[in-house]
Amino acid sequence: MKQIMSYLMEEIDIEPKFRKKQIFDWIYKKYVDDFDNMKNIPKDLREQLKEEYIINPLEILNHEIASDGTEKFLFGLHDGHTVETVLLRMKEGQVDEDGEVISEDKYTVCVSCQVGCKVGCSFCLTAKGGFVRDLTPAEIVAQVWMMKKVKNFNPTKALNVVYMGMGEPLDNYDNMVKAIKIISNEHCLHISPRRQTLSTSGIAPKIEKLAKENLGINLAISLHAVDDKLREELIPMNKAYNIQSVIDAVKKFPVDRRKKVLFEYLVIADINDDEKSANKLVKLLNGIKAKVNLIYFNPYPGTTYKRPTPEKMEKFKELLNKKGVICTIRESKGIDISAACGQLREKSTKK
Ligand code: SAH
Ligand code: SF4
């Protein structure tokens, strides 16, 4: 069976053509996941479609909601593997005295692209289970689609999408690029590429390849360290693509006029949180339209790494800000449901 969410409308072979628009509207605007519920589609065409395609490749196995509004989904795939998707509520909607809605909740979806990951970062829980398989374009697209369906969002509601879940997006290059095209396409999810951010651990040649696709998406780099020796310990792939090669690749990436490249820096207590590292980071980013996002290391059973204190984080941030580098501290969301990627799946597979 083919997964219909792996295709753009023009790639589907159905006559007459206006039927395709109707079918895509049922799927992407009304979140219908059964051909039999597509009321204006003739029965014989529905039968033909049912034989050829499945609509929704994901099954909800678990859904947890944290006190801060973060929601975490565990999805089952057709072959029994699982992936997770996190829905972050960035800003609570505002209601005025008369009960009128003046601003809506703003959401960001954190999407996974692989079951497991090959990169094997020493701080990452996803890496511990090894690599299982790439997700198909449909399995990537459907994670965003599912959020809209479950929350019954208006199809035109703007969502932000970050490819920062489980897996390394540039290690599943073709499916990832296809999924981004489908998520952006007006007949499909129609989410502006400017609202989408791909995070990579730094496969330099793939960053250069992605730059040439001109998708219009934002780029985030998981830097985490400023010298190659430490970065190799954290991200073994740094042996093949060192810091300078990643920086050189970033310089070739087309960045929207109003946007910057995001550098993610996972702060681990007493490992990379010192003043020298902060100063080196400033030098490294010289000449790049960059902003830095500091992330608290989120401990899990069995790791020797420690979470830094808020004072240390603030100090690191101040050092960057003082030198003119825009730097923010990522709020830890959904702590009470372990929303750091890899943690829900870990919990459920241990049951
Ligand atoms: N593979 C890509 C995509 C996101 S990985 C990449 O590495 O950029 C998931 C994200 O979770 C990364 O930003 C990573 O830095 C972060 N992460 C992994 N383990 C973490 C932990 N224990 N605590 C906090 N963040 C973690
Ligand atoms: Fe893979 Fe990213 Fe985890 Fe590293 S941090 S193992 S690249 S998912």
Side-chain angles (χ1 to χ4, degrees), residues 92-105 157:
E92 244 179 286
Q94 308 282 318
V95 180
D96 70 9
E97 313 82 275
D98 305 321
E100 193 127 352
V101 176
I102 43 179
S103 76
E104 286 184 31
D105 285 353
K157 183 177 173 68

Side-chain angles (χ1 to χ4, degrees), residues 117 121 123-125 163-169 199-201 220-222 224 264 266 295-300 330 340-341 343:
C117 185
C121 300
F123 53 81
C124 176
L125 203 51
Y163 304 104
M164 294 185 184
M166 300 166 61
E168 166 51 49
S199 173
T200 174
S201 52
I221 302 290
S222 289
H224 309 331
E264 298 165 277
L266 181 75
I295 309 167
Y296 280 96
F297 172 69
N298 206 347
Y300 49 86
R330 187 179 294 175
C341 288
Q343 301 197 348

Side-chain angles (χ1 to χ4, degrees), residues 20-295:
K20 289 202 286 197
K21 172 88 172 66
Q22 290 176 326
I23 294 161
F24 272 58
D25 276 353
W26 280 113
I27 296 174
Y28 289 107
K29 313 288 183 248
K30 301 193 186 90
Y31 316 130
V32 163
D33 59 4
D34 183 346
F35 289 111
D36 279 335
N37 292 336
M38 301 183 176
K39 308 225 178 348
N40 54 359
I41 306 295
K43 184 145 195 297
D44 53 341
L45 179 56
R46 278 189 269 133
E47 291 302 322
Q48 182 197 322
L49 288 166
K50 266 159 56 183
E51 269 170 36
E52 203 174 349
Y53 295 105
I54 63 147
I55 299 178
N56 180 7
L58 306 176
E59 181 196 353
I60 301 178
L61 297 182
N62 197 351
H63 177 192
E64 292 181 57
I65 306 179
S67 46
D68 63 4
T70 304
E71 300 186 36
K72 183 142 175 164
F73 293 80
L74 182 73
F75 291 122
L77 310 173
H78 67 88
D79 56 3
H81 293 300
T82 56
V83 282
E84 57 192 37
T85 306
V86 179
L87 182 68
L88 300 145
R89 192 171 63 187
M90 306 311 277
K91 206 171 142 208
E92 244 179 286
Q94 308 282 318
V95 180
D96 70 9
E97 313 82 275
D98 305 321
E100 193 127 352
V101 176
I102 43 179
S103 76
E104 286 184 31
D105 285 353
K106 290 199 164 57
Y107 288 93
T108 295
V109 189
C110 181
V111 172
S112 295
C113 62
Q114 293 177 321
V115 182
C117 185
K118 284 181 210 163
V119 180
C121 300
S122 60
F123 53 81
C124 176
L125 203 51
T126 298
K128 301 281 175 274
F131 172 75
V132 180
R133 73 164 170 90
D134 285 329
L135 296 190
T136 63
E139 288 164 343
I140 298 170
V141 173
Q143 292 175 57
V144 183
W145 176 85
M146 266 291 214
M147 297 303 111
K148 298 185 91 168
K149 178 178 169 69
V150 171
K151 303 295 286 183
N152 201 18
F153 287 146
N154 187 312
T156 59
K157 183 177 173 68
L159 287 181
N160 295 312
V161 178
V162 294
Y163 304 104
M164 294 185 184
M166 300 166 61
E168 166 51 49
L170 298 186
D171 189 39
N172 184 13
Y173 188 89
D174 291 342
N175 291 350
M176 196 63 239
V177 167
K178 189 67 188 282
I180 292 168
K181 287 180 179 165
I182 296 167
I183 290 170
S184 312
N185 188 273
E186 59 173 324
H187 301 295
C188 303
L189 284 169
H190 203 186
I191 294 175
S192 164
R194 270 193 263 125
R195 291 190 174 277
Q196 301 179 46
T197 302
L198 184 146
S199 173
T200 174
S201 52
I203 309 180
K206 296 282 178 66
I207 296 172
E208 292 185 19
K209 192 171 173 198
L210 186 70
K212 294 195 190 109
E213 310 267 354
N214 265 313
L215 295 170
I217 57 165
N218 309 301
L219 182 66
I221 302 290
S222 289
L223 193 63
H224 309 331
V226 286
D227 68 79
D228 282 313
K229 193 167 160 289
L230 176 60
R231 197 164 187 272
E232 274 171 29
E233 278 171 38
L234 301 176
I235 311 173
M237 200 180 60
N238 193 73
K239 289 193 193 81
Y241 311 114
N242 67 12
I243 296 175
Q244 195 53 50
S245 73
V246 176
I247 296 287
D248 290 345
V250 168
K251 287 186 175 158
K252 295 181 190 152
F253 196 85
V255 183
D256 189 280
R257 209 159 35 84
R258 288 156 294 184
K259 300 274 184 171
K260 296 188 166 51
V261 175
L262 181 68
F263 285 84
E264 298 165 277
Y265 192 90
L266 181 75
V267 185
I268 309 174
D270 306 323
I271 300 272
N272 63 356
D273 59 352
D274 55 302
E275 192 170 333
K276 218 171 120 208
S277 298
N279 290 330
K280 210 163 164 192
L281 182 54
V282 173
K283 279 214 191 87
L284 204 58
L285 300 181
N286 190 16
I288 300 178
K289 268 194 3 170
K291 68 179 175 201
V292 174
N293 199 204
L294 301 179
I295 309 167

